[in-house]
Amino acid sequence: MIRLEGVSKTFHPGTVNEVVALRPIDLTVREGDFITIIGSNGAGKSTLFNLVAGTFPASSGSIRINDVDVTRAPEHIRAKYIGRIFQDPLLGTAGSMALEDNMLVCYRKGIKGLRISLNRKLRAFFRTQLEDLQMGLEHRMKDNVRLLSGGQRQALTLLMMVLSRPELIMLDEHTAALDPKNAALVLDLTRRYIEEYRLTSMMITHNMQQAIAYGNRLLMMDKGEIILDVEGDEKRSLTVDGLVERFHAIRHRDLESDEARLT
Amino acid sequence: MIEGILVEGLLYGIMALGVFITFRILDFPDLSVDGTFPLGAAIMGISVVNGVPLMLALFIAFSGGLAAGAVTATIHNKLKVPNLLAGILTMTMLWSINIRILGNRANLPLLRQRTILSAFTEMISGVVPYPWSVLLFFLVVGLTIKFLLDLFFRTDMGLTLGAMGDNEQMIVSQGVNPEIMKVIGVGLSNGLVALAGAFAAQYQGFADVNMGQGIVVAGLASVMIGEFLIRSNRIGLLTLRVLLGSIVYRGIMYLGRYYGYHINLTPNDLRLLTGLLIIASLAFSRYQNSRNESARLRRSIRAAAGPPGGGRP
């Protein structure tokens, strides 16, 4: 459903500040995949997300969503297929607007008309959805979102994203800024939604245990490359130690070849 | 006196509503307002003189402001210029355009011309006497625009505009093109300002190319004064406080104009007064925010340090 062919990204090409953030990569995300992505800082995980979402254009290669070429499509066009959550809980909601208004803006994708959709029926629907979060938010629908805690805001963002039923959801360390209790809560909710609505998902995480425990496929990235792509039984049998070992094995080979090139 | 303040407050309140949309809802400080206010006046003036149906003239004035706002937003969108510069460009260009609309002159008197305002006051002169009929007129116009605006900001599109001003990434993620939303929002704002200009020309009895000078600052002052009067997140109260703020602002200006000579104030000092008013409100809201912040900090420290049993020291 998502197909990347030879996609790469170089920032400030041809200048002294040139940075190769992503080397040409091929990646196919199948429908129903739940991919976890790990890698150290600067490995290119967020760059990969930004390229798929269209935050900035790719330096080379092509990106197809459902066999539609979106390589040159701006972010808001691709957003019709994609739901995305950032690490910063403030980025997913409008703090100075009421909770129900936030939900209205998000529950359907695309440009909005001059209808007044927020009626009693829709409010009731929003309320049942909020009750499902079990955070008591159903009583605070007229409150500004700014008054909520980070965990509540991120849970709300997750709920609002699911409401529009995107074809692909991209989670960029969406629990990293939360305290452990809220992080576990949001992560649990994430898994529930993904299973309930059979969402195709990609999740960046720093936590190897999480990367192994969640999803059916795991990508490991390093220095702008995907160095490991495992799924199915192989993924299920992974352990943190095993992962670290494999990482060292691959990195070691990389280093050798680099040294060989230098001499 | 009081009816003069109320009339001016409501008349310029329409303009302040436009300024409120860009500065507060869209977070797009737009200075084209200084050009679109006289644009509305010029379109209305030349239409009245040439016998264009009055309601049609009003509609053209609104559309003219809409188009000017759309130009500002497009300059900002396509050339990636800061919104302040885009507004200044439009404002500067409008000065020449306004003179052209007025027939290559800077001023067009409308005395003894039939306008919407004069037609209305004549019609109800038997029931409501002169200065109060003008007040009734602007009360009806101001409140109608306020309620229409409230309605607009409850629609899906209106809510999306509000969300964009707060968090642009959020509406991009919802598949909405922010460039189109900016054209709509800034256009609507300037349409309202041009409408205010069209009414100002009828009220003052002339259209002048310089009548927009400093108008954006006056609008901003009104918006900020309003924010001290009512605290809320309901759109109905937000627009109401803009109108109230505008009335208070006109009251302060009135005092400055008529009693200022006691302290050697001339009408030329009113702009200085407006600027100082804005600076004072900025300073005050900053002080208030920092006080709230430190109070919150103190509360949380006390909560963290307090004995688990909940005993009070």
Side-chain angles (χ1 to χ4, degrees):
Chain A
M1 95 167 253
I2 307 238
R3 197 181 212 108
L4 278 70
E5 276 170 8
V7 173
S8 75
K9 181 68 190 178
T10 308
F11 291 105
H12 317 296
T15 70
V16 285
N17 294 325
E18 185 175 293
V19 179
V20 180
L22 203 66
R23 296 177 191 286
I25 61 159
D26 298 318
L27 177 68
T28 303
V29 180
R30 288 173 306 255
E31 207 171 329
D33 266 356
F34 179 1
I35 304 177
T36 54
I37 303 170
I38 49 171
S40 50
N41 289 327
K45 307 175 306 271
S46 291
T47 305
L48 175 66
F49 270 26
N50 285 330
L51 288 173
V52 174
T55 310
F56 40 65
S59 303
S60 73
S62 73
I63 302 168
R64 302 174 76 83
I65 302 179
N66 288 341
D67 279 330
V68 181
D69 190 338
V70 296
T71 314
R72 308 235 155 269
E75 189 176 3
H76 66 90
I77 298 285
R78 298 189 210 181
K80 280 162 195 158
Y81 310 99
I82 296 171
R84 190 173 180 198
I85 299 189
F86 300 89
Q87 183 175 343
D88 183 354
L90 306 183
L91 281 178
T93 43
S96 64
M97 285 173 72
L99 213 157
E100 56 179 21
D101 295 343
N102 268 279
M103 291 183 83
L104 180 99
V105 171
C106 290
Y107 101 108
R108 208 182 283 141
K109 295 255 186 189
I111 194 121
K112 313 288 195 286
L114 284 174
R115 255 191 327 267
I116 297 184
S117 303
L118 191 59
N119 52 22
R120 192 176 302 160
K121 207 172 126 203
L122 197 60
R123 274 202 188 92
F125 169 67
F126 287 166
R127 188 166 295 123
T128 53
Q129 295 289 319
L130 287 171
E131 277 166 7
D132 211 34
L133 295 181
Q134 296 176 339
M135 289 180 158
L137 293 182
E138 64 274 14
H139 306 300
R140 306 183 64 182
M141 287 175 62
K142 302 239 184 250
D143 279 358
N144 275 357
V145 170
R146 183 181 297 126
L147 301 171
L148 307 184
S149 72
Q152 287 173 325
R153 268 181 98 150
Q154 203 68 318
L156 177 67
T157 307
L158 195 65
L159 168 64
M160 296 198 306
M161 184 197 67
V162 171
L163 283 181
S164 64
R165 300 277 184 280
E167 310 210 12
L168 171 73
I169 66 170
M170 297 168 81
L171 312 165
D172 193 346
E173 294 195 59
H174 67 307
T175 59
L178 307 178
D179 61 83
K181 186 173 149 254
N182 274 311
L185 226 137
V186 170
L187 204 60
D188 194 50
L189 200 64
T190 308
R191 180 183 346 225
R192 226 177 74 204
Y193 281 137
I194 287 174
E195 280 167 8
E196 198 172 323
Y197 301 110
R198 302 181 170 282
L199 300 166
T200 308
S201 325
M202 295 169 88
M203 179 169 90
I204 293 177
T205 172
H206 256 124
N207 184 329
M208 284 203 187
Q209 190 64 55
Q210 245 173 43
I212 293 167
Y214 289 81
N216 67 326
R217 189 171 163 193
L218 182 146
L219 300 183
M220 188 189 273
M221 294 186 71
D222 188 52
K223 294 187 178 160
E225 285 172 289
I226 297 174
I227 55 171
L228 188 67
D229 181 353
V230 293
E231 59 184 312
D233 285 338
E234 194 186 356
K235 156 114 183 5
R236 264 189 292 279
S237 63
L238 279 177
T239 59
V240 173
D241 289 340
L243 211 52
V244 171
E245 237 165 67
R246 289 187 73 163
F247 177 73
H248 280 307
I250 300 161
R251 285 275 283 129
H252 191 57
R253 221 174 27 244
D254 265 7
L255 278 174
E256 261 185 0
S257 63
D258 278 343
E259 277 165 5
R261 217 175 293 144
L262 282 172
T263 47
Chain B
M1 171 198 156
I2 184 73
E3 79 278 357
I5 294 174
L6 289 174
V7 164
E8 284 198 2
L10 288 165
L11 165 55
Y12 288 98
I14 301 169
M15 176 274 299
L17 283 172
V19 171
F20 164 72
I21 293 176
T22 46
F23 276 75
R24 284 298 186 254
I25 295 190
L26 295 179
D27 197 17
F28 184 114
D30 173 33
L31 301 185
S32 19
V33 167
D34 273 23
T36 40
F37 189 78
L39 173 70
I43 292 175
M44 194 70 204
I46 205 74
S47 304
V48 165
V49 171
N50 288 309
V52 176
L54 293 172
M55 281 315 199
L56 178 65
L58 205 59
F59 178 73
I60 300 172
F62 178 75
S63 313
L66 205 75
V71 168
T72 302
T74 309
I75 294 172
H76 166 73
N77 285 338
K78 294 301 171 198
L79 303 179
K80 311 286 173 210
V81 239
N83 37 30
L84 282 172
L85 179 59
I88 290 172
L89 282 171
T90 308
M91 175 187 90
T92 308
M93 293 189 294
L94 277 176
W95 193 81
S96 304
I97 291 172
N98 290 340
I99 289 185
R100 286 229 168 240
I101 292 174
L102 287 170
N104 285 318
R105 63 194 140 185
N107 188 294
L108 181 67
L110 299 177
L111 295 171
R112 270 183 275 160
Q113 297 278 358
R114 203 179 126 85
T115 65
I116 302 175
L117 176 62
S118 70
F120 180 83
T121 48
E122 258 167 51
M123 193 177 74
I124 61 159
S125 58
V127 196
V128 187
Y130 165 66
W132 301 103
S133 55
V134 177
L135 177 58
L136 183 65
F137 177 79
F138 281 110
L139 205 60
V140 170
V141 171
L143 289 182
T144 307
I145 290 174
K146 176 211 171 314
F147 282 118
L148 286 177
L149 212 55
D150 291 352
L151 211 57
F152 173 74
F153 279 108
R154 276 199 208 102
T155 63
D156 301 2
M157 183 188 277
L159 287 172
T160 311
L161 269 179
M164 180 179 71
D166 194 298
N167 182 351
E168 191 167 326
Q169 177 64 50
M170 170 175 158
I171 71 136
V172 172
S173 300
Q174 294 317 313
V176 179
N177 186 347
E179 297 190 351
I180 292 177
M181 297 312 283
K182 279 179 189 163
V183 169
I184 294 173
V186 180
L188 176 66
S189 156
N190 281 286
L192 284 178
V193 172
L195 212 55
F199 285 118
Q202 299 175 43
Y203 175 66
Q204 298 179 339
F206 63 85
D208 191 293
V209 72
N210 290 321
M211 68 199 285
Q213 257 185 33
I215 209 94
V216 67
V217 178
L220 192 59
S222 307
V223 170
M224 292 173 77
I225 293 171
E227 282 163 6
F228 287 117
L229 302 177
I230 306 173
R231 287 190 172 277
S232 174
N233 68 346
R234 302 280 153 80
I235 186 69
L237 289 174
L238 294 184
T239 50
L240 180 69
R241 77 181 186 191
V242 173
L243 291 180
L244 293 178
S246 174
I247 291 169
V248 172
Y249 170 73
R250 291 294 150 186
I252 296 172
M253 289 298 115
Y254 187 90
L255 291 178
R257 211 164 359 175
Y258 285 88
Y259 300 102
Y261 67 89
H262 291 300
I263 51 167
N264 258 334
L265 219 59
T266 73
N268 298 329
D269 295 324
L270 288 181
R271 290 210 185 152
L272 180 67
L273 193 65
T274 307
L276 292 176
L277 207 61
I278 292 185
I279 292 171
S281 9
L282 282 172
F284 185 70
S285 64
R286 232 183 116 78
Y287 163 74
Q288 227 172 15
N289 281 346
S290 72
R291 216 179 47 170
N292 289 347
E293 199 63 38
S294 60
R296 193 156 53 221
L297 203 64
R298 263 201 307 277
R299 257 203 312 279
S300 58
I301 289 173
R302 212 177 299 141
R312 282 173 183 276

